[in-house]
Amino acid sequence: MPPETVEWNGDAQGSLIGGQDVAALPAVREAPRVSSDFMALANAVLCHRDPQRHALLYRLLWRMGQGERGLLDHATDADVHRAEVLAKSVRRDTHKMKAFVRFREVPGETEAFVAWFEPEHYIVDRVAPFFARRFAGMRWAILTPYRSAHWDGHALAFGPGGVRADAPEDDARESLWRTYYANIFNPARLNPTMMRSEMPQKYWKHLPETQLLPELIQNAGARVREMAERAPELPRRRIPEAPAEPVLTADDSLDAVRAAAAACRRCELWQPATRTVFGEGPDDARVVLMGEQPGDEEDLSGRPFVGPAGKLLDRVLAELGIDRRTLYLTNAVKHFRFEQRGKRRLHRNPTSTQVQACRPWLQQELARIDPQLIVCLGANAARTVLGGDFQLMAQRGQWRVMAEGARALATLHPSWVLRQPEGEARQAALALFKNDLALLAAALPQ
Ligand code: SF4
C-alpha cells in the first residue's frame, strides 16, 4: 500500500498488522530487497520515541521497493536525513546507558543488583545483551519507567517498567566510589562545558559521583591556586646521573684515560650504545691502527675490530706476517652510532660534531702511546688524522710525516671491502687493502 494511504498510530500501534495472519493478507507484490545497512538503520530508528518513526521507515522501504535502490546514499534526502537523525540520537542514548547505569546491591541478597535508569528512547532490549555479556556472573535487573530487563546468570528476560523506588537508593560501594572520585578529580582540568557534553545533566541522577560535583566545581578555582602556589615537584630523573668525568693530567696512564672515557657523555652517542669501545693493545705499541667507529659486535663485546671487518683485518695481517698483538687498535669515535631497524642495528656514519667531540680521547691515546706509525682505515679515520680535505681513493697508500714526527698512512676500511659485490669488485678492493698494509709490513723492523 502506498505510504500516503497508511495511517500510523504511533505508540498506540499494538502490532503492525493488527494480529492478522500474514498469509491471510491479500497477495502482496514480491517483497522488496533491502541492504543490511537499512536493517541496521531501521533497528536503531525503531527504538526512537518519535511517533512518526514507523511511517518514516515504511516510506523508505516503499521507495526502495519502487526502484530507488541507492536511496540511503542520498544523505540530503529528507527521509534519509530524518532517519539518520533519529538513529544517531538512539545510538547516543545507547552509549550513555552503557556508561551510566549504576547497579546497587539488593540488601539481604547475595550478589544481586538492581539499577534504575531513565533512557530517552526505547533502548532496553537493545542494550540489555551488552550488560548480560559484561556482568554474566551476577544476577541483576535494570529498571526503567517503560520496561525492565532481568539476568539470572543464564538468560535474559524482559518485563514491565517500574519506579525509582523499586531500586535501592545507595549501597556501601557507592561511598567508596565517591571517595575515589573526589581523590582523582583534577580541578586544573575542569571543563564544565565538555563535562556536560560528555555527561549530560539529565543522567546525573543515576551517578553517585555527581552528588559531589557542585562542591568540587565550586572549590576548583581555589584548589588550582593552591596547586600553583605550592613549590614545584621536580620530576624524577629516569636517566641516572653521569658519573663525573675525572680530570686527567699528562702523567695519567692509558688505563686511567680508558676508565675516564667509559663515563664519557660529551656527545649523545653514549645513550643508545651499549658501552664505550676504547682502544686495545700495548701502551708502547709502535703502530696504531685506527678505524672510524665500533660496529655492532664491538659495541656488544667492548673490544675494537672483533666483527666481520676485524676478522678480515686479522686475516690480511696474518698473511703479511704482522702480529696483531703488537698493534694498538682504536677508532676515531668510541661509541657505536646506529639506526634501529626492527631487531637490526644499522651502522651510521658519525657526524663531524661527534668526531670533534671524541677527538680528545684519540689525542690522549696517541699522546701516551707515542706511535711511530699510524694506519688510518677508511676515509673518516683518515680525515681525523690527515686533515678534513683528505681524499682517500686518490691519496691512500702513501706515508706522510706528521707534525709530531710519526708517519701516517691511509687505506680502505675492511668493512668497505666487505661491502663490495662478491667476485671481481671485492677481489680488487681486497688487493688494494692488502697492498697498502704491505707498506706497513715493509715499514716494520724485521
Ligand atoms: S662518542 Fe666519544 S665523545 Fe661521544 S660520548 Fe662516546 S666517547 Fe664521548
Side-chain angles (χ1 to χ4, degrees):
M1 298 168 77
E4 57 274 14
T5 65
V6 181
E7 189 183 336
W8 296 86
N9 289 324
D11 286 343
Q13 186 76 34
S15 161
L16 182 65
I17 50 177
Q20 294 182 56
D21 180 1
V22 179
L25 288 172
V28 293
R29 296 179 317 149
E30 188 186 343
R33 290 179 165 276
V34 293
S35 64
S36 55
D37 286 350
F38 175 75
M39 294 306 288
L41 181 70
N43 259 320
V45 171
L46 281 171
C47 295
H48 202 280
R49 280 195 184 272
D50 185 343
Q52 292 305 311
R53 62 191 180 283
H54 298 110
L56 173 66
L57 287 175
Y58 185 69
R59 221 165 30 244
L60 285 170
L61 187 60
W62 177 267
R63 289 175 61 189
M64 285 187 283
Q66 294 294 310
E68 292 187 63
R69 293 236 154 265
L71 178 57
L72 293 189
D73 296 334
H74 300 156
T76 52
D77 179 275
D79 286 342
V80 174
H81 176 70
R82 179 67 188 154
E84 288 293 351
V85 168
L86 300 193
K88 190 174 172 191
S89 174
V90 168
R91 286 190 206 107
R92 182 175 159 82
D93 199 32
T94 302
H95 172 71
K96 297 299 178 196
M97 183 170 173
K98 288 178 182 173
F100 298 142
V101 159
R102 294 287 188 273
F103 288 102
R104 275 126 188 171
E105 197 160 16
V106 180
E109 291 200 34
T110 319
E111 290 291 296
F113 299 83
V114 174
W116 171 252
F117 194 77
E118 295 173 31
E120 199 175 332
H121 302 296
Y122 302 123
I123 57 171
V124 171
D125 296 60
R126 184 178 171 86
V127 185
F130 164 82
F131 287 101
R133 284 193 301 277
R134 172 164 283 194
F135 301 110
M138 67 189 212
R139 291 180 300 130
W140 53 258
I142 299 174
L143 310 180
T144 77
Y146 86 98
R147 192 157 167 82
S148 57
H150 306 259
W151 173 255
D152 61 3
H154 303 285
L156 264 177
F158 296 91
V163 292
R164 185 176 188 137
D166 294 338
E169 267 300 307
D170 203 345
D171 69 7
R173 286 178 174 83
E174 282 190 13
S175 65
L176 196 64
W177 169 247
R178 276 194 287 268
T179 307
Y180 171 72
Y181 187 84
N183 277 286
I184 60 162
F185 181 82
N186 183 350
R189 300 185 68 184
L190 176 64
N191 181 340
T193 311
M194 175 78 83
M195 180 185 271
R196 286 197 180 90
S197 135
E198 285 302 310
M199 194 164 59
Q201 222 152 343
K202 65 184 172 194
Y203 298 112
W204 285 23
K205 55 180 170 279
H206 304 297
L207 309 175
E209 65 268 30
T210 49
Q211 296 168 15
L212 304 172
L213 281 176
E215 192 185 339
L216 289 171
I217 292 172
Q218 198 182 1
N219 296 336
R223 283 187 59 198
V224 170
R225 276 192 298 282
E226 183 207 323
M227 284 159 72
E229 283 160 14
R230 220 181 293 150
E233 289 172 21
L234 290 175
R236 242 185 306 152
R237 275 182 68 85
R238 284 200 280 163
I239 300 168
E241 291 282 353
E245 199 181 292
V247 180
L248 296 167
T249 68
D251 293 334
D252 283 314
S253 67
L254 191 58
D255 281 342
V257 179
R258 181 178 286 111
C264 180
R265 303 283 191 269
R266 291 182 191 175
C267 79
E268 65 281 9
L269 289 186
W270 69 273
Q271 249 176 322
T274 310
R275 55 172 63 82
T276 306
V277 182
F278 203 71
E280 177 182 276
D283 52 11
D284 58 351
R286 294 186 62 201
V287 180
V288 167
L289 241 71
M290 194 184 100
E292 177 196 76
Q293 64 156 337
D296 187 62
E297 291 190 35
E298 285 82 8
D299 171 79
L300 296 173
S301 68
R303 298 183 55 213
F305 292 99
V306 292
K311 292 195 173 64
L312 175 63
L313 175 66
D314 286 351
R315 204 181 84 208
V316 172
L317 290 175
E319 285 171 13
L320 294 170
I322 303 172
D323 185 353
R324 169 172 166 150
R325 291 169 301 176
T326 64
L327 312 177
Y328 185 88
L329 288 106
T330 192
N331 285 294
V333 171
K334 311 297 188 211
H335 274 108
F336 177 34
R337 184 171 191 232
F338 60 91
E339 184 182 324
Q340 192 79 46
R341 288 253 189 95
K343 290 185 177 171
R344 296 177 63 211
R345 303 193 299 174
L346 302 184
H347 166 278
R348 286 188 66 195
N349 284 336
T351 63
S352 57
T353 311
Q354 290 157 350
V355 173
Q356 284 305 322
C358 216
R359 186 187 285 273
W361 297 119
L362 179 66
Q363 289 168 337
Q364 301 255 21
E365 285 177 296
L366 294 177
R368 278 154 185 84
I369 296 165
D370 194 19
Q372 293 169 13
L373 303 171
I374 300 172
V375 177
C376 305
L377 304 174
N380 285 321
R383 291 196 191 109
T384 305
V385 172
L386 298 167
D389 54 357
F390 189 84
Q391 297 295 318
L392 182 69
M393 294 317 277
Q395 298 175 291
R396 42 157 280 280
Q398 302 160 29
W399 286 113
R400 291 172 172 230
V401 179
M402 315 260 303
E404 302 81 16
R407 288 190 296 155
L409 167 92
T411 185
L412 310 172
H413 196 286
S415 64
W416 186 85
V417 175
L418 290 174
R419 282 202 300 275
Q420 302 312 299
E422 267 189 64
E424 223 171 280
R426 190 176 301 173
Q427 286 310 316
L430 185 58
L432 292 179
F433 181 55
K434 198 167 169 182
N435 286 349
D436 292 344
L437 287 183
L439 296 174
L440 170 65
L444 291 172
Q446 299 303 310

